[in-house]
């Protein structure tokens, strides 16, 4: 993990001179390229042998288990987790990427353990059989996901001879049943795939550490020296995956979720071959634009679409697709031919306009500013990004990738534009309206679909009959920043300062003295008591914020393109406005947003579109993963004054534009806003912004808002569970087609306190990996298995989150208890050295510096929104950790976590999938065990329990 001095070493096997690596002007890191081995392996799911679909993905799972040098199963993950890090991997079509991060002082051993996977991994027969279940569980999680279903259907409708056609994830059938039937040993095939393909010359490694480059280079050469170079050539898959029979087709698809979507797809030459010219970036910018005159603007005006995206999609070095995705309204679903016609009309407009140098220059300018003033990202994301770039780009562009289009080439852009023709289009049209009107089924996900051929002449007819919208190219972007200077901060400010307090607002300010970028972060949180006083009010508040975003879009979209992001979101107590990005033009955007709030009027046509969109969002909540449903119920049980989405869905059909027209002035009639302004903004500018908001909303002769009465300041209160009682809430999964069950086992511990926080976080760190290993790797309960600490408005606890088809939620609950009993012994037997090592790991995690302004602001904003205001939390908790003894940790466990502890407060939310409906019936009908209490009605339960005091909502809680 990176501290003061950051170095980054990149290694690639291969020869050739290297020019200077292009890096951002603000990037002070050093880089070097040397000959060695790597972590990004140029072998992916395209290499799966026929009849063993998912083998490359399965190999990715298996490498983590053990190696000859470190044979103890899961010891790598245990080492990483116990030293403050995390580890993961992913398998793509043509490469597999393994990555980790860890505290700096443990880096050398972590690298050594990591390297062994590429030298001598152990793939034991026992682990192989168990991990097939994990791959199958991962696939079960995806079966009812429209994203996975549509992606696989696009692959299915391609040439069987091309690897794009394959099913890449794998499941029990492809990795166990079918190979056995053919007399194949999956483990032997796994070893064969590894031996034949995991060669040093197909690997690239990026190492990010705190030591100087010479030291890191020596470490890497020593640790990775023994990776075998089998001199394999990088696999290539020439040719397009779509033959003529897979083009000029209209595919009607039945999705799982409510709604309608069009995906228009064309095979193209991958942009990687022309990344300096950026043809897809240019065309995606124009076709995906949302300003006045754009395709989306016209579709939105007609009430036919709620979102549109455009750009290069799935592909490889040899092929790619240009994709346009359009979310349709019910009215748009009835006008699909017109919408396709309008899209082709816009493409024709781009053709007629010719490739414009000013559009490219504007894009290049925005890209250059973005690159040179980019935020630092977490090292784990950074190394993954660069290691994947190393195979694709020459060394000087490893950091840049495709992010700096710099060569204006009309002919290259024109070539891709010519590909976007009716002759090679594929149209995927998703809608629940097609249910029972299809005749084909995709084999892996059982997606129902049908295919119709379409011709160029049909599309010409659709273009002619489409409405005559005023389509035109975007205007020059006024939001592109030109002043990138850094303000002088005269005083060293470590934490946010309360600059101003009035009956209308509080202002917290933190100038940037760390990141020194021309960016700012502004959060304005409006507390409106009427916004949440009933389920109806909550829904209307939600529609209010969606409409505000809708009204702003054609103007403020330009700001987003220029790197100034904005959002207006509904909260439990009102709504909040967030602005993040270059500070130069931020004030213009802020004034526009506040102006839209002040002049808010309900446009009936937009109201009906947004209402329809919000209704579908509510309806689709039942298709969430079961573990997400369990987390939702857990929050509903714990959080006072929250409304169930089922009640809100019931209200929606009856709401009219007039209801919102009456509600919005009432909601705004009493308000208080809390403001946090950080970054490249001086005190006087911050104060001026808040005064502006107060003037517009509170100080007109007939003000839109009046200040809150002292009694109206809103609180965030959490239900206090009873000591020594195990509450459980059994509920059926909302989607009867979902086999997965889920459990959230929550242990409530205490209200925010530095010493208790330190104990809880240390316990979570110590128990996290053993819980994952036992419940996921050994018992194979399910792919989704987590142990996390939890914080609800300052009330702290611990939660196990498990999703499974193997066992019902009540059975999983027993396995969690069994784990805690087993772990009890491990905790008691922990050595002093192990204890100290874990404490030091947690201290290192806490002392890790914020990477960028957004991350820092998120941490400080949480203190403000929770009302805890402990801006020095990290330093104070570190001090508490340094004082902590092993016995105190054991006492903490015995009192709060241990099975049967008299002080223990626990709640299990048990969501039963259709495989475990008998568990649900049993839970609902049989008497609860002694010491257990079943929650039959969430709201009766909530009313019956005392609440923790709120940190929030006292106007006097901050003093100037």
């Amino acid at each position: 993990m990176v501290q003061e001095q950051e170095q980054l070493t990149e290694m690639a096997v291969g020869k050739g001179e290297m020019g200077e690596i292009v890096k951002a002007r603000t990037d002070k890191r050093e880089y070097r390229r040397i000959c060695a081995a790597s972590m990004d392996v140029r072998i992916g799911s395209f290499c799966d042998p026929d009849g063993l679909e998912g083998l490359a993905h399965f190999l990715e799972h298996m490498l983590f288990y053990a190696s000859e040098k470190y044979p103890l199963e899961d010891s790598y993950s245990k080492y990483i987790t116990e030293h403050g890090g995390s580890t993961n991997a992913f398998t793509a079509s043509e490469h597999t990427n393994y990555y980790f991060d860890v505290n700096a002082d443990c880096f050398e051993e972590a690298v050594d353990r990591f390297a062994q996977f590429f030298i001598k991994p152990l793939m034991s027969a026992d682990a192989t059989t168990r991990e097939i279940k994990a791959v199958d569980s991962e696939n079960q999680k995806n079966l009812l996901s429209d994203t996975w279903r549509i992606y696989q259907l696009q692959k299915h409708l391609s040439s069987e001879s091309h690897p794009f056609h394959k099913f890449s994830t794998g499941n029990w059938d492809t990795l166990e049943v079918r190979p056995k039937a053919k007399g194949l040993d999956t483990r032997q095939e796994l070893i064969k795939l590894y031996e034949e393909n995991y060669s040093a010359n197909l690997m690239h490694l990026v190492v990010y550490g705190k030591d100087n480059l010479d030291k890191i280079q020596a470490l890497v050469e020593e640790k990775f020296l023994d990776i075998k170079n089998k001199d394999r050539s990088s696999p290539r898959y020439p040719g397009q995956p779509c033959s003529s029979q897979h083009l000029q087709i209209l595919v009607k698809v039945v999705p799982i979720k409510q709604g309608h979507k069009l995906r228009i797809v064309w095979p193209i030459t991958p942009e990687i071959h022309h990344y300096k010219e950026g043809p897809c970036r240019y065309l995606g910018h124009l076709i995906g634009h949302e300003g006045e005159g754009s395709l989306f603007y016209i579709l939105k005006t007609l009430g036919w679409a709620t979102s549109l995206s455009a750009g290069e999609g799935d592909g490889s070095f040899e092929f790619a697709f240009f994709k346009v995705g359009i979310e349709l309204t019910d009215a748009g679903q009835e006008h699909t031919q017109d919408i396709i016609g309008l899209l082709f009309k816009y493409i024709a407009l781009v053709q007629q306009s010719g490739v414009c140098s000013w559009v490219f220059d504007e894009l290049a300018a925005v890209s250059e500013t973005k690159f040179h003033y980019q935020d630092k990202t977490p090292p784990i994301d950074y190394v993954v990004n660069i290691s994947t770039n190393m195979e694709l780009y020459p060394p000087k562009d490893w950091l840049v990738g495709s992010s700096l289009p710099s060569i204006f080439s009309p002919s290259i852009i024109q070539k891709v534009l010519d590909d976007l023709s009716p002759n090679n289009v594929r149209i995927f049209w998703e809608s629940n309206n097609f249910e029972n009107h299809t005749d084909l089924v995709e084999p892996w996900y059982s997606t129902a679909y049908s295919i119709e051929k379409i011709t160029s002449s049909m599309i010409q007819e659709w273009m002619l009959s489409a409405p005559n919208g005023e389509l035109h190219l975007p205007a020059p972007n006024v939001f592109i920043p030109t002043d990138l200077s850094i303000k002088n901060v005269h005083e060293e400010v470590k934490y946010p300062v309360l600059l101003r307090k009035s009956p209308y607002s509080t202002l917290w300010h933190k100038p940037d003295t760390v990141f020194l970028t021309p960016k700012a972060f502004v959060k304005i949180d409006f507390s409106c008591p009427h916004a949440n006083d009933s389920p109806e009010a909550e829904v209307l508040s939600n529609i209010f914020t969606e409409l505000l975003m809708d009204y702003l879009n054609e103007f403020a979209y330009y700001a987003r393109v220029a790197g100034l992001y904005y959002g207006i979101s509904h909260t439990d107590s009102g709504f909040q406005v967030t602005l993040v990005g270059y500070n130069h033009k931020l004030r213009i955007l802020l004034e526009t947003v506040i102006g839209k709030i002040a002049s808010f009027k309900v446009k009936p046509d937009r109201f009906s579109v947004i209402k329809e969109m919000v209704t579908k969002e509510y309806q689709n909540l039942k298709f969430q993963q079961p573990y997400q449903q369990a987390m939702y119920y857990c929050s509903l049980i714990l959080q006072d004054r929250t409304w169930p989405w089922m009640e809100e869905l019931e209200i929606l059909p009856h709401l009219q534009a007039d209801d919102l027209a009456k509600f919005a002035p009432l909601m705004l009639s009493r308000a208080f806003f809390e403001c946090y302004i950080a970054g490249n903004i001086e005190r006087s500018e911050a104060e001026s912004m808040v005064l502006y908001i107060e003037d517009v909303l509170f100080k007109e002769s007939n003000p839109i808002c009046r200040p809150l009465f002292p009694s109206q300041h809103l609180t965030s209160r959490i239900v206090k569970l009873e000591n020594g009682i195990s509450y459980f809430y059994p509920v059926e999964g909302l989607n009867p087609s979902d086999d997965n069950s889920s459990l959230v086992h929550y242990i409530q511990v205490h209200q925010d306190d530095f010493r208790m926080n330190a104990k809880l976080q240390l316990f979570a760190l110590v128990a996290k990996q053993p819980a994952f290993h036992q419940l996921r790797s050994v018992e194979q309960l399910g792919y989704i298995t987590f142990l996390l600490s939890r914080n609800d408005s300052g009330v702290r606890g611990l939660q196990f989150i498990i999703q499974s088809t193997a066992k019902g939620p009540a059975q999983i609950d027993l396995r969690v208890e069994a784990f805690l009993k087993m772990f009890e012994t491990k905790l008691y037997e922990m050595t002093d050295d192990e204890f100290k090592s874990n404490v030091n790991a947690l201290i290192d995690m806490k002392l890790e510096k914020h990477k960028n302004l957004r991350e820092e602001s998120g941490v400080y904003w949480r203190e403000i929104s929770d009302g805890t205001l402990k801006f020095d939390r990290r330093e104070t908790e570190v001090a508490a950790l340094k004082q902590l003894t092993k016995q105190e940790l054991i006492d903490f466990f015995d009192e709060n976590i241990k099975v049967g502890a008299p002080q223990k407060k626990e709640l299990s939310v048990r969501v039963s999938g259709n495989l475990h409906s008998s568990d649900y019936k049993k839970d609902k009908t049989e008497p609860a065990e002694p010491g257990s209490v079943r929650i039959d009605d969430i709201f009766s339960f909530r009313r019956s329990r005392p609440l923790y005091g709120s940190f929030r909502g006292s106007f006097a809680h901050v003093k100037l």
Side-chain angles (χ1 to χ4, degrees):
M1 206 54 87
V2 182
Q3 303 291 336
E4 293 297 328
Q5 181 187 12
E6 291 158 327
Q7 312 286 356
L8 188 125
T9 307
E10 306 173 4
M11 316 229 159
V13 174
K15 294 174 183 170
E17 285 303 308
M18 186 186 103
E20 189 177 343
I21 291 178
V22 177
K23 57 181 187 175
R25 286 193 283 271
T26 52
D27 190 347
K28 301 294 183 271
R29 291 171 286 217
E30 296 176 31
Y31 300 86
R32 182 183 299 173
R33 174 181 178 235
I34 51 172
C35 296
S38 84
M39 297 172 190
D40 191 86
V41 188
R42 298 310 299 178
I43 295 296
S45 56
F46 278 4
C47 282
D48 287 345
D50 289 337
L52 274 161
E53 291 84 0
L55 193 67
H57 176 222
F58 183 39
L59 175 58
E60 170 233 299
H61 274 239
M62 285 304 301
L63 277 200
F64 278 106
Y65 263 80
S67 62
E68 204 170 277
K69 184 172 179 181
Y70 299 100
L72 190 64
E73 192 177 288
D74 231 31
S75 63
Y76 160 72
S77 300
K78 183 173 185 287
Y79 183 85
I80 297 286
T81 305
E82 286 184 352
H83 293 89
S86 59
T87 175
N88 214 329
F90 63 85
T91 305
S93 301
E94 294 187 296
H95 67 111
T96 306
N97 199 294
Y98 302 84
Y99 52 97
F100 73 92
D101 60 9
V102 77
N103 289 337
D105 57 348
C106 317
F107 190 55
E108 185 169 338
E109 184 174 337
V111 166
D112 190 48
R113 288 171 175 274
F114 184 68
Q116 294 304 312
F117 299 141
F118 309 101
I119 297 168
K120 281 199 172 171
L122 287 182
M123 292 185 255
S124 73
D126 176 47
T128 304
T129 306
R130 275 187 280 122
E131 198 59 20
I132 292 174
K133 291 178 182 169
V135 171
D136 187 65
S137 175
E138 186 176 352
N139 182 61
Q140 289 276 355
K141 170 182 74 69
N142 301 336
L143 289 178
L144 297 177
S145 157
D146 283 328
T147 306
W148 283 95
R149 291 162 70 87
I150 301 301
Y151 178 53
Q152 188 60 44
L153 180 59
Q154 291 179 355
K155 284 152 68 79
H156 182 65
L157 298 178
S158 65
S159 304
E160 288 186 30
S161 59
H162 196 285
F164 180 71
H165 180 83
K166 292 178 179 179
F167 167 60
S168 57
T169 317
N171 60 23
W172 184 255
D173 200 35
T174 66
L175 295 171
E176 175 70 14
V177 179
R178 293 187 193 186
K180 262 194 179 152
K182 287 191 209 161
L184 288 173
D185 181 329
T186 301
R187 180 169 172 264
Q188 290 307 316
E189 294 298 319
L190 199 65
I191 292 166
K192 185 176 162 189
L193 183 73
Y194 177 85
E195 294 292 348
E196 288 183 358
N197 295 291
Y198 273 52
S199 170
N201 72 308
L202 297 185
M203 299 179 179
H204 295 88
L205 172 67
V206 176
V207 176
Y208 189 129
K210 68 165 192 173
D211 293 318
N212 66 53
L213 287 175
D214 291 329
K215 193 169 176 185
I216 295 179
Q217 179 175 337
L219 170 72
V220 169
E221 286 174 346
E222 176 200 340
K223 301 298 182 190
F224 292 86
L225 183 68
D226 292 334
I227 297 181
K228 289 176 188 160
N229 184 356
K230 299 159 189 172
D231 204 24
R232 293 281 188 266
S233 55
S234 191
R236 290 280 181 238
Y237 306 94
Q240 288 292 333
C242 297
S243 62
S244 57
Q245 72 185 87
H246 306 115
L247 301 173
Q248 291 191 296
I249 55 171
L250 173 64
V251 185
K252 293 179 177 174
V253 190
V254 181
I256 298 292
K257 290 187 171 181
Q258 295 293 313
H260 325 283
K261 186 163 186 174
L262 270 176
R263 299 174 200 253
I264 301 98
V265 183
W266 296 266
I268 55 162
T269 303
E271 186 167 84
I272 188 67
H273 298 294
H274 303 292
Y275 66 93
K276 296 277 192 197
E277 294 83 2
C280 292
R281 182 177 283 236
Y282 178 96
L283 294 169
H285 169 68
L286 292 180
I287 297 169
H289 210 281
E290 297 182 17
E292 194 178 330
S294 66
L295 171 63
F296 178 67
Y297 178 81
I298 302 299
L299 294 176
K300 184 183 142 177
T301 306
L302 291 163
W304 291 353
T306 55
S307 77
L308 186 149
S309 61
E312 188 180 36
D314 340 299
S316 72
F317 200 76
E318 307 287 344
F319 71 89
F321 296 97
F322 190 92
K323 297 187 164 190
V324 176
I326 307 172
E327 297 271 359
L328 307 178
T329 61
D330 290 347
Q333 165 73 4
E334 302 302 315
H335 288 275
T336 307
Q337 292 181 359
D338 289 330
I339 292 169
I340 296 166
L342 278 166
L343 167 61
F344 278 98
K345 264 183 154 176
Y346 192 84
I347 292 168
L349 167 73
V350 175
Q351 284 274 20
Q352 288 151 18
S353 306
V355 178
C356 303
S357 60
W358 75 266
V359 174
F360 182 86
D361 290 345
E362 201 176 79
L363 264 180
V366 167
S367 300
E368 186 172 1
T369 306
K370 184 178 179 181
F371 177 74
H372 286 295
Y373 295 98
Q374 63 186 290
D375 290 338
K376 272 192 188 176
T377 55
I380 199 165
D381 299 335
Y382 194 58
V383 293
V384 168
N385 182 42
I386 296 169
S387 64
T388 53
N389 279 355
M390 288 166 77
E391 171 75 9
L392 303 174
Y393 301 94
K396 70 183 176 64
D397 290 330
W398 281 349
L399 307 186
V400 173
S402 300
S403 63
L404 279 183
S406 54
I407 300 170
F408 180 56
S409 172
S411 61
I412 286 173
I413 295 172
Q414 189 64 48
K415 186 185 179 306
V416 178
L417 181 55
D418 292 342
D419 286 338
L420 308 187
S421 81
N423 297 326
N424 63 337
V425 73
R426 291 153 57 88
I427 300 171
F428 292 81
W429 180 9
E430 302 158 42
S431 174
N432 302 97
N433 294 8
F434 300 140
E435 198 148 3
N436 303 319
H437 297 286
T438 57
D439 56 350
L440 297 165
V441 177
E442 189 280 318
W444 298 107
Y445 290 81
S446 302
T447 306
Y449 72 100
S450 60
I451 301 179
E452 299 167 21
K453 288 301 274 186
I454 47 174
T455 61
S456 296
S457 56
M458 285 164 74
I459 289 176
Q460 293 292 339
E461 284 172 29
W462 299 347
M463 287 170 73
L464 287 169
S465 62
N468 280 323
E470 287 293 309
L471 291 168
H472 58 78
L473 296 185
N477 193 337
V478 296
F479 278 103
I480 293 176
T482 51
D483 178 1
L484 298 164
S485 59
I486 307 297
K487 309 279 169 73
N488 288 322
V489 178
H490 302 296
E491 72 278 31
E492 187 68 30
V493 181
K494 193 172 181 187
Y495 301 119
V497 173
L498 182 62
L499 269 197
R500 190 174 177 279
K501 186 167 115 179
S502 78
Y504 317 106
S505 70
T506 53
L507 166 61
W508 297 89
H509 177 240
K510 174 154 189 323
D512 175 18
T513 56
V514 180
F515 311 108
L516 304 178
T517 58
K519 295 180 181 179
F521 178 100
V522 175
K523 179 81 81 173
I524 311 154
D525 187 68
F526 288 90
S527 224
C528 307
H530 295 298
N532 190 38
D533 58 12
S534 68
E536 186 173 47
E538 174 127 339
V539 176
L540 287 166
S541 302
N542 190 0
I543 295 175
F544 168 80
T545 60
E546 293 284 357
L547 271 174
L548 273 175
M549 286 291 283
D550 186 72
Y551 294 168
L552 278 163
N553 194 55
E554 49 266 22
F555 172 74
Y557 180 77
Y558 284 94
R560 194 171 286 181
V561 168
L564 181 51
Y565 303 95
Y566 67 98
I568 304 170
S569 57
H570 168 235
T571 66
D572 287 342
S573 55
F575 64 99
Q576 61 183 216
V577 176
T578 309
L579 305 175
V580 189
Y582 302 113
N583 57 279
H584 182 203
K585 308 283 179 81
L586 186 142
R587 177 69 184 250
I588 303 167
L589 184 58
L590 174 74
E591 291 185 8
T592 307
V593 171
I594 299 302
K596 288 285 183 195
I597 295 169
S599 62
F600 182 81
K601 293 281 182 292
V602 181
K603 300 175 185 170
D605 59 329
R606 297 313 299 159
F607 174 87
S608 60
V609 167
I610 297 297
K611 175 186 159 182
E612 182 193 309
M613 185 180 85
V614 169
T615 303
K616 285 173 186 162
E617 284 169 3
Y618 276 107
Q619 289 169 335
N620 286 330
L621 287 171
K622 74 174 192 180
F623 300 114
Q624 283 185 317
Q625 294 277 342
Y627 81 90
Q628 293 169 315
Q629 294 176 34
M631 290 173 76
Y632 160 76
Y633 288 122
C634 190
S635 295
L636 194 62
I637 290 167
L638 293 173
Q639 291 172 8
D640 188 41
R641 290 191 60 76
T642 49
W643 312 107
W645 66 264
M646 293 83 152
E647 289 181 6
E648 294 168 359
L649 181 58
E650 212 175 292
I651 287 157
L652 264 160
H654 311 292
L655 294 179
Q656 304 299 327
D658 197 43
D659 295 313
L660 183 59
K662 288 173 187 160
F663 172 78
L666 173 68
M667 179 182 81
L668 293 169
S669 65
R670 294 280 171 190
F672 180 84
F673 68 93
E674 200 140 25
C675 192
Y676 176 72
I677 299 180
N680 198 34
I681 290 189
E682 292 168 344
R683 291 173 67 129
S684 57
E685 291 177 277
E687 288 176 337
S688 165
M689 285 182 190
V690 167
L691 283 167
Y692 175 81
I693 300 168
E694 288 187 358
D695 286 347
V696 172
L697 297 180
F698 291 88
K699 295 183 179 173
E700 296 289 331
S701 54
N702 185 17
I704 295 150
C705 306
R706 287 186 166 82
L708 299 187
F709 290 114
S711 61
Q712 286 183 296
H713 283 272
L714 293 165
T715 58
S716 310
R717 302 195 66 185
I718 302 298
V719 163
K720 195 172 195 174
L721 301 178
E722 192 169 334
N723 290 353
I725 300 287
S726 294
Y727 297 98
F728 67 99
Y729 178 64
V731 64
E732 288 183 291
L734 294 166
N735 180 2
S737 306
D738 201 330
D739 290 345
N740 291 282
S741 290
S742 187
L743 169 79
V744 167
H745 181 102
Y746 166 68
I747 301 168
Q748 191 176 71
V749 181
H750 67 283
Q751 194 168 24
D752 196 37
D753 168 272
F754 289 135
R755 284 189 67 76
M756 288 294 282
N757 294 351
K759 293 175 192 177
L760 176 67
Q761 289 162 15
L762 184 60
F763 177 79
L765 176 67
V766 171
K768 181 180 173 182
Q769 190 56 32
F772 180 84
H773 178 61
Q774 180 61 32
L775 301 172
R776 153 76 158 73
S777 303
V778 176
E779 299 187 27
Q780 285 296 337
L781 293 180
Y783 177 74
I784 289 171
T785 303
F786 300 113
L787 169 59
L788 304 165
S789 54
R790 180 178 172 123
N791 175 13
D792 297 274
S793 300
V795 175
R796 307 289 181 131
L798 200 69
Q799 59 185 351
F800 291 83
I801 303 167
I802 301 170
Q803 183 166 298
S804 179
T805 51
K807 282 186 164 55
Q811 291 297 308
I812 302 170
D813 222 348
L814 293 174
R815 299 317 308 150
V816 169
E817 295 220 327
F819 164 75
L820 286 171
K821 283 176 183 165
M822 183 189 80
F823 188 69
E824 194 177 313
T825 314
K826 284 190 177 177
L827 188 66
Y828 296 164
E829 291 171 356
M830 181 190 283
T831 66
D832 290 341
D833 283 349
E834 284 174 322
F835 174 77
K836 280 179 193 153
S837 172
N838 280 295
V839 168
N840 290 336
L842 188 51
I843 288 172
D844 283 352
M845 289 164 78
K846 287 186 173 299
L847 294 180
E848 190 189 339
K849 291 177 177 173
H850 295 127
K851 304 291 177 302
N852 54 56
L853 178 67
R854 190 190 282 243
E855 185 185 305
E856 179 195 81
S857 298
V859 169
Y860 291 140
W861 174 251
R862 178 78 191 258
E863 295 292 337
I864 294 165
S865 64
D866 280 353
T868 41
L869 303 181
K870 293 172 179 170
F871 300 122
D872 62 348
R873 176 177 301 280
R874 298 199 307 178
E875 293 81 355
T876 317
E877 287 181 355
V878 164
L881 275 167
K882 286 177 177 172
Q883 301 295 316
L884 200 61
T885 65
K886 186 174 77 173
Q887 191 56 48
E888 283 180 289
L889 180 65
I890 290 168
D891 292 345
F892 169 83
F893 172 79
D894 287 347
E895 288 162 20
N896 299 287
I897 312 290
K898 183 176 175 173
V899 176
Q903 225 175 285
K904 188 172 183 180
K905 305 189 282 280
E906 67 181 348
L907 163 67
S908 291
V909 177
R910 302 172 180 175
V911 175
S912 294
N914 68 15
L915 288 181
H916 306 114
S917 52
S918 57
D919 277 48
Y920 169 71
K921 291 188 182 85
K922 195 174 166 188
D923 262 355
K924 279 299 271 185
T925 54
E926 291 190 2
E929 302 274 321
S932 283
V933 172
R934 181 176 63 234
I935 298 172
D936 289 313
D937 176 73
I938 288 176
F939 308 102
S940 300
F941 171 76
R942 241 169 43 179
R943 285 189 287 268
S944 73
R945 294 300 311 150
L947 302 173
Y948 281 98
S950 174
F951 289 109
R952 229 193 124 193
S954 159
F955 185 51
H957 83 308
V958 285
K959 293 185 174 66
L960 268 173

